[in-house]
Amino acid sequence: MIPAGAPIDMTIKRLIPLLTEGDTIVDGGNSNYKDTLRRAALLKDKGINYIDVGTSGGIWGLTEGYSMMAGGESDAVEQLRPVLETLAPAPDLGWGRVGPSGSGHFVKMVHNGIEYGMMQAYAEGFAIMDKKDEFNLDLHRVAEIWRYGSVVRSWLLDLISEALAENPGLEGIAPFVEDSGEGRWTVTEAIDLNVAAPVITMSLLRRLLSREEEDYSDKLLAAMRNKFGGHKIKKEG
Amino acid sequence: MIPAGAPIDMTIKRLIPLLTEGDTIVDGGNSNYKDTLRRAALLKDKGINYIDVGTSGGIWGLTEGYSMMAGGESDAVEQLRPVLETLAPAPDLGWGRVGPSGSGHFVKMVHNGIEYGMMQAYAEGFAIMDKKDEFNLDLHRVAEIWRYGSVVRSWLLDLISEALAENPGLEGIAPFVEDSGEGRWTVTEAIDLNVAAPVITMSLLRRLLSREEEDYSDKLLAAMRNKFGGHKIKKEG
Amino acid sequence: MIPAGAPIDMTIKRLIPLLTEGDTIVDGGNSNYKDTLRRAALLKDKGINYIDVGTSGGIWGLTEGYSMMAGGESDAVEQLRPVLETLAPAPDLGWGRVGPSGSGHFVKMVHNGIEYGMMQAYAEGFAIMDKKDEFNLDLHRVAEIWRYGSVVRSWLLDLISEALAENPGLEGIAPFVEDSGEGRWTVTEAIDLNVAAPVITMSLLRRLLSREEEDYSDKLLAAMRNKFGGHKIKKEG
Amino acid sequence: MIPAGAPIDMTIKRLIPLLTEGDTIVDGGNSNYKDTLRRAALLKDKGINYIDVGTSGGIWGLTEGYSMMAGGESDAVEQLRPVLETLAPAPDLGWGRVGPSGSGHFVKMVHNGIEYGMMQAYAEGFAIMDKKDEFNLDLHRVAEIWRYGSVVRSWLLDLISEALAENPGLEGIAPFVEDSGEGRWTVTEAIDLNVAAPVITMSLLRRLLSREEEDYSDKLLAAMRNKFGGHKIKKEG
């Protein structure tokens, strides 16, 4: 597995002399679709196919099969059929060509944006229930109930249930959430397309905030409140 | 099926003289949990059990089984076991007692809040893909691919795929989204509990906005821009 | 000064026997306008005027004059003219009757909602500049420049400039922002009126978040990411 | 006045042969600061100073003076002093060097981001008051009261008051809000810097939404609700 970004370009550079016209390179990682467009154009000039296969499924893909969104020429994608059928959850399910070069990574990028939004929706809901002390809710039980028959049933909910079974109090887990590039790209792409995507955007911003220990904006707000209203400032430390 | 709100109170009033101590009333609708707390207390004084069963599953529940979150005394919930086992997706799945009176409706309320957030996340993602003309994406195909193996697979995604199969261009559907009370209650409850729930909240606000035809705030923004920057105002009509 | 809430009701109760028809009680605090409606109705039955005067200006009002929004019968407000003219920045500026009972507190509530949004807008902007290390910006200087001639000039900006002059690094200030009730009421009122107010709402949610030390939603997000992607969890402590 | 973007590059190209070492070009427009960095570097190689002067004040600057944030070498900015002193609201107010090349446009960009947030905060507040029919508020009067002594007094509020005096019902103004590039750049920059700026971001998204007539996400939400709950779809037209 080659990390997205510069290593891809280096690898392509090294592969070019080894390939001949009609050969195909597959990028199954989380590359930015704009890089993919650039790379596909470069390789097209040399008669080499460049297929982007946006791949979802995480560490479960190996056993459950991957969901794969392929971008590139139809013929070249068709050549990959045996590979894709093998990696997919079933030969005819969970994979397909979604469009020309770049579209596979584009669709995967949006997939991750949606993923951020869904995760945040669950996280907020469970946080509300966690704070409702008077009902003393067993959140693992709630997750289990919802897994069957409810409108919010999903694979992510299955994982939440599993996580809560193993660690009901989420002990020892820091409230610190990383983000990979794809959420950011989705947010920026939405703005570029003039599409308002408040939920995906807020999901990203919440992650940024989760990693901020000394938020400047909050300090300035506290200073302002002190200035106009004489509201006491909480001292640090 | 009795609609939530005043009709419930009237029905309870009519039922009281017909019931004797130890009898049970079940509210399986989308009542506000605060009403449920009030009603349960009233009936407890009369020795009548009041069980709130938050129920999810929509129009599919009849065939697929309902997801049911019960609130109330353990004994009284236990008495309902045969009913709940029958209505659930399986006798031992998709239902359970989540806590005391009110907790069933509380959990269902939060369920709907999460539902709003998930729906909005999908809606935004598909809107981004829809706007990306250069890839000319087949959104039904994308939904189908994601249904198997992807991180965002869910029952809601199954429904999206179905909707897009039947009406790929969403022809004739007005961009107008109703909301039932439960999303609002979730947002208010979160604030009351000092829980920041930006995604669930934004999902609600987007629905409000979808129904606004002559948004005052947008008009005032246009007027302001004209005032300070001489930016042209778009005339109405 | 009597704090808003129950103390007001107690004070009114004590005042009633001392007052005669045609007398006036003024509530110049930050009462919830719904309480004001209730109180005004109660007192109206006794022939006593209840005037709500939403008052802004903070600790500066004493020297600069207060901005006052009065609600109640025109005649009764008119009787207060000498008081209002004295407390206002100028006899004919910064005060007025805005409508019937309750409207003064309603308008003041919205004023505070706007205040939250403005403060957050400034706070975010200064936070962005603070993070831009490569320009090593002097934020007090920026605030000073903006105070004259810019579109964002305002009294709040004057205070920001002052705060940054006194404490350029905001040393010793915890990133912890209280909220009084009025922001919450504005958010809830907006939802009740079906008005989407995302900026005022987000300003409130950011304050809630500033006070959260062990955010459950962030922990659950970290747990989810670990579950599906094998992403490492940051350990607490 | 030369529009930002490519015309600037063309103009610079034309100016270069006419200039000699030590000469200065001033960009007083709303250029993206990254373009400015590039241009300043190009000109530095030729010994020409490139000063970016972020300028605020809109159409009022001519009479009230402009607020100007200059970026570039101190000496070169100092040479501009007579010009800046003349254009500013007062010789020693409303202008200054904020840092190296690019910083002037960067600070102006953030200024506009804040401006979006403030405008949206006001717009939402006035929209809430506009919807509160029972109080029948005179919004121009409210704006006038707030202009003196209130926490939300500002130049933008002065303009709002003026706009409402001229057109109290905002008649004939379409709820359609343009955005120039600077709001977008601020949002993207914030994300690049890992600063959560929800209010500035939401202000931008609301503008995008104001221009959307057939929102895809809303249609899909309506379709989903129909699918799972049998909720009626509103027909278009």
Side-chain angles (χ1 to χ4, degrees):
Chain A
M1 199 70 173
I2 307 160
I8 303 275
D9 286 311
M10 288 189 300
T11 307
I12 289 173
K13 212 172 159 185
R14 259 183 246 138
L15 284 174
I16 288 175
L18 310 174
L19 299 173
T20 56
E21 237 184 277
D23 281 354
T24 295
I25 298 177
V26 176
D27 178 356
N30 278 337
S31 295
N32 187 307
Y33 82 93
K34 291 175 185 173
D35 287 331
T36 302
L37 289 174
R38 176 176 53 75
R39 289 165 187 152
L42 173 86
L43 289 162
K44 195 176 184 178
D45 287 351
K46 302 184 191 303
I48 299 167
N49 298 307
Y50 192 66
I51 304 297
D52 46 306
V53 181
T55 304
S56 180
I59 53 178
W60 298 77
L62 207 60
T63 50
E64 307 212 354
Y66 295 97
S67 184
M68 292 171 293
M69 315 124 219
E73 298 288 335
S74 297
D75 289 358
V77 173
E78 194 52 38
Q79 284 181 326
L80 293 175
R81 177 178 285 273
V83 182
L84 297 169
E85 288 183 348
T86 306
L87 291 170
D92 57 341
L93 294 175
W95 74 274
R97 178 183 177 268
V98 295
S101 273
S103 65
H105 284 148
F106 180 87
V107 169
K108 176 54 174 27
M109 174 192 81
V110 174
H111 166 282
N112 282 28
I114 293 172
E115 178 189 304
Y116 277 43
M118 290 174 67
M119 288 172 71
Q120 182 67 26
Y122 283 119
E124 291 175 9
F126 279 87
I128 293 168
M129 294 190 290
D130 176 66
K131 263 276 185 77
K132 192 69 175 177
D133 294 331
E134 70 198 78
F135 288 143
N136 193 25
L137 299 164
D138 175 340
L139 298 189
H140 171 250
R141 176 174 297 186
V142 170
E144 273 300 303
I145 293 172
W146 287 353
R147 287 181 65 205
Y148 303 95
S150 89
V151 172
V152 302
R153 64 194 192 256
S154 74
W155 187 63
L156 277 167
L157 183 62
D158 297 346
L159 299 184
I160 289 171
S161 182
E162 216 177 281
L164 291 172
E166 292 165 17
N167 185 354
L170 302 179
E171 306 294 337
I173 300 175
F176 183 98
V177 195
E178 292 283 2
D179 78 281
S180 58
E182 307 224 311
R184 294 161 185 258
W185 301 338
T186 308
V187 168
T188 308
E189 181 74 31
I191 292 172
D192 287 347
L193 290 170
N194 292 310
V195 173
V199 152
I200 293 177
T201 303
M202 279 301 128
S203 304
L204 173 66
L205 298 198
R206 278 294 287 105
R207 293 195 179 190
L208 302 187
L209 217 42
S210 79
R211 306 196 299 257
E212 191 62 73
E213 285 183 11
E214 280 289 283
D215 192 77
Y216 186 92
S217 63
D218 289 337
K219 290 176 167 209
L220 187 57
L221 287 173
M224 272 190 250
R225 293 185 82 243
N226 175 261
K227 271 287 161 198
F228 72 73
H231 301 289
K232 233 177 126 175
I233 284 175
K234 193 179 167 188
K235 298 282 177 246
E236 203 148 32
Chain B
M1 198 70 173
I2 307 160
I8 303 275
D9 287 312
M10 289 189 299
T11 306
I12 289 173
K13 214 174 159 183
R14 260 184 244 136
L15 284 174
I16 287 175
L18 310 174
L19 298 173
T20 56
E21 236 183 278
D23 281 354
T24 296
I25 298 177
V26 177
D27 178 356
N30 279 337
S31 294
N32 187 309
Y33 82 93
K34 291 175 185 173
D35 288 330
T36 301
L37 289 173
R38 176 176 54 74
R39 288 165 188 152
L42 173 86
L43 289 162
K44 196 177 184 176
D45 286 350
K46 303 184 191 301
I48 299 167
N49 299 306
Y50 191 67
I51 305 296
D52 46 306
V53 181
T55 305
S56 179
I59 52 179
W60 298 77
L62 206 60
T63 50
E64 307 213 354
Y66 295 97
S67 184
M68 292 171 294
M69 315 125 219
E73 299 288 336
S74 296
D75 289 358
V77 173
E78 195 52 38
Q79 285 181 326
L80 294 176
R81 178 178 285 273
V83 182
L84 297 169
E85 288 183 348
T86 307
L87 291 170
D92 57 342
L93 294 175
W95 74 273
R97 178 183 177 268
V98 295
S101 274
S103 65
H105 284 148
F106 180 87
V107 169
K108 176 54 175 25
M109 174 191 81
V110 174
H111 166 282
N112 282 28
I114 294 172
E115 177 188 305
Y116 277 42
M118 290 174 67
M119 288 173 71
Q120 182 67 27
Y122 284 119
E124 291 175 9
F126 279 86
I128 293 168
M129 294 190 290
D130 177 66
K131 263 277 184 75
K132 192 69 174 177
D133 294 330
E134 70 198 78
F135 288 142
N136 193 25
L137 299 164
D138 175 340
L139 297 189
H140 171 250
R141 176 174 298 187
V142 170
E144 273 300 303
I145 293 172
W146 287 353
R147 288 182 64 205
Y148 304 94
S150 89
V151 172
V152 302
R153 63 194 193 257
S154 74
W155 187 62
L156 278 168
L157 182 62
D158 296 346
L159 299 184
I160 289 170
S161 182
E162 216 177 281
L164 291 172
E166 292 165 17
N167 186 354
L170 302 178
E171 306 294 336
I173 299 175
F176 183 97
V177 195
E178 292 283 3
D179 78 281
S180 58
E182 306 224 312
R184 294 162 183 258
W185 300 338
T186 308
V187 168
T188 308
E189 180 74 31
I191 292 172
D192 287 347
L193 291 170
N194 292 311
V195 173
V199 152
I200 293 177
T201 303
M202 279 301 128
S203 304
L204 173 66
L205 299 198
R206 278 295 286 105
R207 292 195 180 191
L208 302 187
L209 216 42
S210 80
R211 307 196 298 258
E212 191 63 72
E213 283 182 11
E214 280 289 283
D215 192 77
Y216 186 91
S217 63
D218 289 338
K219 290 177 167 208
L220 187 57
L221 287 173
M224 273 190 248
R225 293 186 81 242
N226 175 261
K227 271 286 162 198
F228 72 73
H231 300 289
K232 235 178 125 174
I233 285 175
K234 195 180 165 187
K235 297 282 176 246
E236 203 147 33
Chain C
M1 198 72 173
I2 307 160
I8 304 274
D9 287 312
M10 288 189 300
T11 306
I12 289 173
K13 213 173 159 184
R14 261 183 245 138
L15 284 175
I16 287 175
L18 310 174
L19 299 173
T20 56
E21 235 184 279
D23 281 353
T24 295
I25 298 177
V26 177
D27 178 356
N30 278 337
S31 295
N32 187 308
Y33 82 93
K34 291 175 185 173
D35 288 330
T36 301
L37 289 174
R38 176 176 53 74
R39 289 164 188 154
L42 173 86
L43 289 162
K44 196 177 184 176
D45 286 351
K46 304 184 190 301
I48 299 167
N49 298 307
Y50 192 67
I51 305 297
D52 46 306
V53 181
T55 304
S56 179
I59 53 178
W60 298 77
L62 207 60
T63 50
E64 306 213 353
Y66 295 97
S67 185
M68 292 171 294
M69 315 124 220
E73 298 288 335
S74 296
D75 289 358
V77 173
E78 194 52 38
Q79 284 181 326
L80 294 175
R81 178 179 284 273
V83 182
L84 297 169
E85 288 183 348
T86 306
L87 291 170
D92 57 341
L93 294 175
W95 74 273
R97 177 182 177 269
V98 295
S101 273
S103 64
H105 284 148
F106 180 87
V107 169
K108 176 54 175 25
M109 174 191 82
V110 174
H111 166 282
N112 282 27
I114 293 172
E115 178 189 304
Y116 277 42
M118 290 174 68
M119 288 173 71
Q120 182 67 25
Y122 283 119
E124 291 174 9
F126 279 87
I128 293 168
M129 293 190 290
D130 177 66
K131 263 277 184 74
K132 193 68 175 179
D133 294 330
E134 70 197 79
F135 288 143
N136 193 25
L137 299 164
D138 175 339
L139 298 189
H140 171 250
R141 176 174 297 186
V142 169
E144 273 300 302
I145 293 173
W146 286 354
R147 288 182 64 205
Y148 304 94
S150 90
V151 172
V152 302
R153 63 194 192 257
S154 74
W155 187 63
L156 278 167
L157 183 62
D158 297 346
L159 299 184
I160 289 171
S161 181
E162 217 177 281
L164 291 172
E166 292 165 18
N167 185 353
L170 302 179
E171 306 294 337
I173 300 175
F176 183 97
V177 195
E178 293 283 3
D179 77 281
S180 58
E182 306 224 312
R184 294 162 185 258
W185 301 338
T186 308
V187 168
T188 309
E189 180 74 32
I191 293 173
D192 287 346
L193 290 170
N194 292 311
V195 173
V199 152
I200 293 177
T201 303
M202 278 300 128
S203 304
L204 173 67
L205 299 198
R206 278 295 285 105
R207 292 194 180 191
L208 302 187
L209 216 42
S210 79
R211 306 196 300 257
E212 191 62 73
E213 284 182 12
E214 280 289 283
D215 192 77
Y216 186 91
S217 62
D218 289 337
K219 290 176 167 209
L220 187 57
L221 286 173
M224 273 190 248
R225 293 185 82 242
N226 174 261
K227 271 287 162 199
F228 72 73
H231 300 289
K232 233 177 126 174
I233 284 175
K234 194 181 165 185
K235 297 281 176 247
E236 202 148 32
Chain D
M1 198 70 172
I2 307 159
I8 304 274
D9 287 312
M10 288 189 299
T11 306
I12 289 173
K13 212 172 159 185
R14 260 184 244 137
L15 284 174
I16 287 175
L18 309 173
L19 298 174
T20 55
E21 236 183 279
D23 281 354
T24 296
I25 299 177
V26 177
D27 178 355
N30 278 338
S31 295
N32 187 308
Y33 82 93
K34 291 175 185 172
D35 287 331
T36 301
L37 288 173
R38 177 176 53 74
R39 288 165 187 152
L42 173 85
L43 289 162
K44 195 176 185 177
D45 287 351
K46 303 183 191 302
I48 299 167
N49 299 306
Y50 192 67
I51 305 297
D52 46 306
V53 181
T55 304
S56 179
I59 53 178
W60 297 77
L62 207 60
T63 50
E64 307 213 353
Y66 295 97
S67 185
M68 292 171 294
M69 315 124 219
E73 298 288 335
S74 296
D75 289 357
V77 173
E78 195 52 37
Q79 285 182 326
L80 293 176
R81 177 178 285 273
V83 182
L84 297 169
E85 288 184 348
T86 306
L87 291 171
D92 57 341
L93 294 175
W95 73 274
R97 177 181 177 269
V98 295
S101 274
S103 64
H105 284 148
F106 180 87
V107 169
K108 176 54 176 25
M109 173 191 82
V110 174
H111 167 282
N112 281 28
I114 293 172
E115 178 189 304
Y116 277 42
M118 291 174 66
M119 288 172 70
Q120 182 67 26
Y122 283 119
E124 291 174 10
F126 279 87
I128 293 168
M129 294 190 290
D130 177 66
K131 263 277 184 75
K132 192 68 174 178
D133 294 331
E134 70 197 78
F135 288 143
N136 193 25
L137 299 164
D138 175 340
L139 297 189
H140 171 250
R141 176 174 298 188
V142 170
E144 273 300 303
I145 293 172
W146 287 354
R147 287 182 65 205
Y148 304 94
S150 89
V151 172
V152 302
R153 64 194 192 256
S154 74
W155 186 63
L156 278 167
L157 182 62
D158 297 346
L159 299 184
I160 289 171
S161 182
E162 217 177 281
L164 291 172
E166 292 165 17
N167 185 354
L170 302 179
E171 306 294 337
I173 300 175
F176 183 97
V177 195
E178 292 283 3
D179 77 282
S180 58
E182 306 224 310
R184 295 162 184 258
W185 300 338
T186 309
V187 168
T188 308
E189 180 74 31
I191 292 173
D192 287 346
L193 290 170
N194 292 310
V195 173
V199 152
I200 293 177
T201 303
M202 278 302 128
S203 304
L204 173 66
L205 299 198
R206 278 294 287 104
R207 293 195 179 190
L208 302 188
L209 217 42
S210 79
R211 306 196 299 257
E212 192 62 72
E213 285 183 11
E214 280 289 284
D215 192 77
Y216 186 91
S217 62
D218 290 337
K219 290 177 167 206
L220 187 57
L221 287 173
M224 273 190 248
R225 293 186 81 242
N226 174 261
K227 270 287 161 197
F228 72 73
H231 300 289
K232 232 176 127 176
I233 284 175
K234 193 179 166 187
K235 297 282 177 246
E236 202 148 34

